Every structure is written in C-alpha cells, then in structure tokens.
Amino acid sequence: MDAIPSLGYALLGLLQQKPSSGYDLRKIFSSTSMRTYSDSPGAIYPALQRLEKQGLIRGAIEQGSGLRRRQVFRLTSKGLAELKKWISSPVASENLVSGPQQVMLRFAFSEGVIGAAASLELLCSLEAALKTYLANLRAEYEALKTVAPTSGRLAFECGLRGTEALEKWTQYAIATYKQQFKKIRGGAR
Amino acid sequence: MDAIPSLGYALLGLLQQKPSSGYDLRKIFSSTSMRTYSDSPGAIYPALQRLEKQGLIRGAIEQGSGLRRRQVFRLTSKGLAELKKWISSPVASENLVSGPQQVMLRFAFSEGVIGAAASLELLCSLEAALKTYLANLRAEYEALKTVAPTSGRLAFECGLRGTEALEKWTQYAIATYKQQFKKIRGGAR
DNA sequence: CGCCCCATGTAAGACGTTACATGATTGA
DNA sequence: TCAATCATGTAACGTCTTACATGGGGCG
C-alpha cells in the first residue's frame, strides 16, 4: 500500500466526522482554517478516487432532491482503521522538521476517532519529540549566532520561539485533558 | 516567465551568499536548519538546470584539483534582480496561510541582498499582514470554540498561539533593527 | 581489492496546479 | 433568458520523490 499524502488523511478525518460529497469537502477547505489544503477540484476529486480505489472510503450516488447527482462518501471499516493507525502512531522529532501542521491535523481528529485518553497519549508523545527537537535547534543556534548576519540570526530565533511556543501549548493541552479527566472521575453524574 | 518555486529561491539566496556546486547546496540542505528543503539530487540538479535555462544563474566547470569535475554556479545580474524583487515585495496576509516559512526565507536573505534598512521594511510589512491575519483567526476562533470538541479547539489555539508568537517576534526584530540604526547614527566610528 | 565519499545526473511515477468542460437548478 | 450556484470531472503541465546509474579518488 502506497503512502497516503496529507490531503488524503484530511479527507479521511473529515469523512469520519460526517459523510460528505466532494463539493462539501471543498467548501470546508476553502472557508475554514483548513485553507492550507487545496480546495481545487483537480486535487480533491482525484484524491477521493484514489481513496475509494484503496477501499478506504465508499461513495454512494444520491439522486433525490432534483439537483444534479451528488456522490456522498463515507469511511469504510478499513478506512477507519487506517485513520486510527495514522493518528495514534507516536510522534517522532523528524515529524516536526516541516512544521507542526501534520501532527496538529492528527490531534484535531484524535478525540473523535480514538478518544480523549488516546489524545492525551498523542500529546505526551509530542512533548517528548519536542524535547529532542528543541535540544537540536538550540545547539544549532549556539553555533550559528556568532557567525550569522543579524537577519539570519533573527530568522533562526523565529523558528526557535515558534517551537518553544508549541512546547508551552503542548503542556497547556496536557493539563487541560488531565483536568478534564479529574472532573469526570471526581464529579457525580 | 513561470513562477519560481520555493526551492528555486532558496538556491538563489544561497548562491548569492557564496557560489557553490550542486553538491555543496545539497549538504547545506541536509545538515542545517534548511532541512525543510529537499536534499535529494532529483530535486536540486533539475532545479539548477531550470534556473540556468532562465538565465538566473550560470555554471562554470571546475576541473582543477583532480577530483571529478564540479560545476560551480553563481548568480547572474538577472538572478540577483529576481532575488531582490522576491525579497522586497510586500507581505500579504495570504502569504501566512501556509506558515511563515516562505516569508522567513526572504527575511533571512534580506540583509545580504537588499540591506538592513530594507530588511526593516520587510518586517514592518509582515507586522501589518499579521494584524489582519490574526484578526481573521480570532474571529474564526470565537465562532468555533463553542461548537468544536476539545481536541479541535485546542488544535486551533495552537495555530493562534503560534501566530501570536510570530507577532511578538516581529516586534522584537523591528526593535533590534531600530536599535542597531540608532547606535550607528549616534556612535563615533 | 572492496568500500566509502565526492559529484553529477536520469527515469518512472505520484501529486498538485491551473484551466477548461459539462450540465442542472434557482432567481432576477 | 442570463447569470450564479451546485456538482463533478478531465487534461496538460510542473515539480518532487524514490531509486538507480556512473565514475573518479582515497584508504585499509
């Protein structure tokens, strides 16, 4: 089985939340913070075809309400399994090189797919990966800061600060989940 | 003239700093914080060929020291002009949708290519773009925070915090440059 | 001699982009 | 009836990925 690109997982995650047509998905990409993914038909329709060919989703034509036929896709059990596997695989520090976007996509879907307890596990794995990643960044910074021109040094500091902000967010998110669990366990229902 | 991809500009910027062979450039990509760019020969050599075909760089074969021939590339005046144009074009808030990486690459090269005063201008343009971008993000957050599950809300907050950190960095960088200018103007040499 | 590093490249395939095509329905 | 919106798709093109090919030089 070939590796599924980022867009494919975004589609799987959205379809898990709610069965949708290609057009629905395009609207989500163009109107929400998922703008980072392409809303062009030339990207989405072929991607849906690939996922269907791999047996991860199944489309059903809906010819009811008089409009042009729409094809509504939903996850198959195989698709759900693939999504779970992707979301729950531990975060490696290499996953952070090209930004946290991919990991964040996994986390955003996690609660609905694998549950809050597993979301927390994902966060802990992210925190550990960040520790090694930040150590490398800081070492590189020490080597660079004496030789680079101001703009180069500042640009590097930008990456460093961004990653530090991500670390703080991770700790905040972990605390949020832990508190949530405490409330549920402690509070009467 | 076709649009130059990100990798192309990264190559132009590095070649402006120092004429290099394809192999040198690959090593930079694989060993420094520019890991985000591919270090694979299948990406870099074709990219260099394209840039040469467009007249932005020129390669000279170096057959001196007994090793296999290496081809050292350097910027042409046309290439330098293109690089200047790219770096000094104002930042739009759309440039921030897919992360600050591209803008940061421009900034990192800016001082050596267009000078510190123009670097400062780029930063101010970035600050303005961030203001509108953050306003949009915050509006979307208000709409989302009541309906989204915890993990979805937290993931969005991550993006928000990251952008806020970027804004703070921008202000810090602007202050750094302004202070630098004051020192130069004020201090005897 | 075999192995690793220098150094350059190509080929096949996957993916995304832009632009175009199609056709039905709703509303001015 | 004309335009806009719903809804799906295809074709050409460019770029990146992975994998392979080539060949010289230094070293044990």
Side-chain angles (χ1 to χ4, degrees):
Chain A
M1 217 196 306
D2 286 340
I4 297 169
S6 208
L7 174 62
Y9 285 114
L11 293 171
L12 289 180
L14 289 173
L15 289 176
Q16 192 272 331
Q17 292 180 350
K18 186 174 186 304
S20 312
S21 68
Y23 192 77
D24 294 336
L25 295 164
R26 280 182 63 198
K27 272 193 301 188
I28 293 173
F29 287 142
S30 61
S31 68
T32 72
S33 58
M34 297 189 78
R35 265 179 242 31
T36 30
Y37 296 97
S38 170
D39 69 328
S40 88
I44 287 179
Y45 290 106
L48 288 170
Q49 286 166 11
R50 283 194 298 273
L51 293 174
E52 189 166 31
K53 210 182 301 174
Q54 293 176 298
L56 304 175
I57 63 176
R58 190 165 32 237
I61 287 157
E62 214 179 49
Q63 187 56 290
S65 48
L67 276 169
R68 193 188 176 182
R69 96 216 168 269
R70 14 181 292 136
Q71 201 177 1
V72 175
F73 293 93
R74 60 193 71 229
L75 279 191
T76 63
S77 56
K78 195 178 162 194
L80 182 61
E82 177 62 39
L83 188 60
K84 278 183 182 169
K85 198 182 97 189
W86 176 65
I87 290 175
S88 50
S89 69
V91 179
S93 67
E94 299 92 70
N95 295 329
L96 301 168
V97 174
S98 50
Q101 270 196 252
Q102 278 237 21
V103 178
M104 278 308 126
L105 187 66
R106 283 165 55 179
F107 175 68
F109 289 139
S110 64
E111 201 171 309
V113 177
I114 53 173
S119 288
L120 181 56
E121 262 179 66
L122 181 60
L123 286 173
C124 292
S125 151
L126 171 59
E127 195 190 17
L130 274 169
K131 244 177 100 173
T132 28
Y133 186 63
L134 266 172
N136 292 337
L137 275 188
R138 290 197 181 109
E140 205 181 329
Y141 180 64
E142 289 306 312
L144 177 131
K145 73 172 176 190
T146 51
V147 296
T150 308
S151 70
R153 179 178 58 78
L154 285 171
F156 196 95
E157 280 180 38
C158 179
L160 200 50
R161 282 176 174 226
T163 310
E164 284 165 352
L166 180 59
E167 190 186 34
K168 285 208 194 81
W169 171 87
T170 309
Q171 285 154 2
Y172 154 74
I174 288 173
T176 303
Y177 269 109
K178 285 196 174 158
Q179 204 180 349
Q180 204 179 78
F181 290 147
K182 215 181 290 174
K183 239 188 260 176
I184 290 167
R185 253 185 268 121
R189 188 247 181 253
Chain B
M1 214 193 309
D2 287 339
I4 297 169
S6 208
L7 174 62
Y9 285 113
L11 292 171
L12 289 180
L14 289 173
L15 290 176
Q16 191 273 330
Q17 292 180 350
K18 186 175 185 304
S20 311
S21 68
Y23 192 76
D24 294 336
L25 295 163
R26 281 183 63 198
K27 271 192 303 187
I28 293 173
F29 287 142
S30 62
S31 68
T32 72
S33 57
M34 298 188 77
R35 264 180 241 37
T36 30
Y37 295 97
S38 169
D39 69 327
S40 88
I44 288 180
Y45 290 106
L48 288 169
Q49 285 166 13
R50 285 194 298 273
L51 293 173
E52 188 166 32
K53 211 181 301 173
Q54 293 176 296
L56 304 176
I57 62 175
R58 190 164 33 234
I61 286 157
E62 214 181 47
Q63 188 54 291
S65 47
L67 276 171
R68 192 188 177 184
R69 94 212 170 273
R70 3 180 304 135
Q71 199 176 1
V72 175
F73 293 93
R74 59 194 72 230
L75 279 193
T76 62
S77 57
K78 195 178 163 194
L80 182 60
E82 178 62 40
L83 189 60
K84 278 183 183 168
K85 198 182 96 189
W86 176 65
I87 291 175
S88 50
S89 69
V91 179
S93 68
E94 299 93 70
N95 294 330
L96 300 168
V97 173
S98 50
Q101 269 196 254
Q102 277 236 26
V103 179
M104 277 309 126
L105 187 66
R106 283 166 56 179
F107 175 68
F109 289 140
S110 64
E111 200 171 309
V113 177
I114 52 173
S119 288
L120 180 57
E121 263 178 65
L122 181 60
L123 286 173
C124 292
S125 152
L126 171 60
E127 195 190 17
L130 274 169
K131 244 176 98 172
T132 30
Y133 186 63
L134 267 172
N136 292 337
L137 276 187
R138 290 196 180 110
E140 204 180 329
Y141 179 64
E142 289 307 313
L144 176 130
K145 75 172 175 189
T146 52
V147 296
T150 308
S151 70
R153 179 179 57 80
L154 285 171
F156 196 96
E157 281 181 36
C158 179
L160 201 50
R161 282 177 175 225
T163 311
E164 284 165 352
L166 180 59
E167 190 185 34
K168 286 210 194 79
W169 171 87
T170 309
Q171 285 154 2
Y172 153 74
I174 288 174
T176 303
Y177 269 109
K178 285 196 173 157
Q179 204 181 351
Q180 203 179 79
F181 290 148
K182 213 181 293 177
K183 238 189 261 176
I184 289 167
R185 252 186 268 119
R189 188 248 183 270

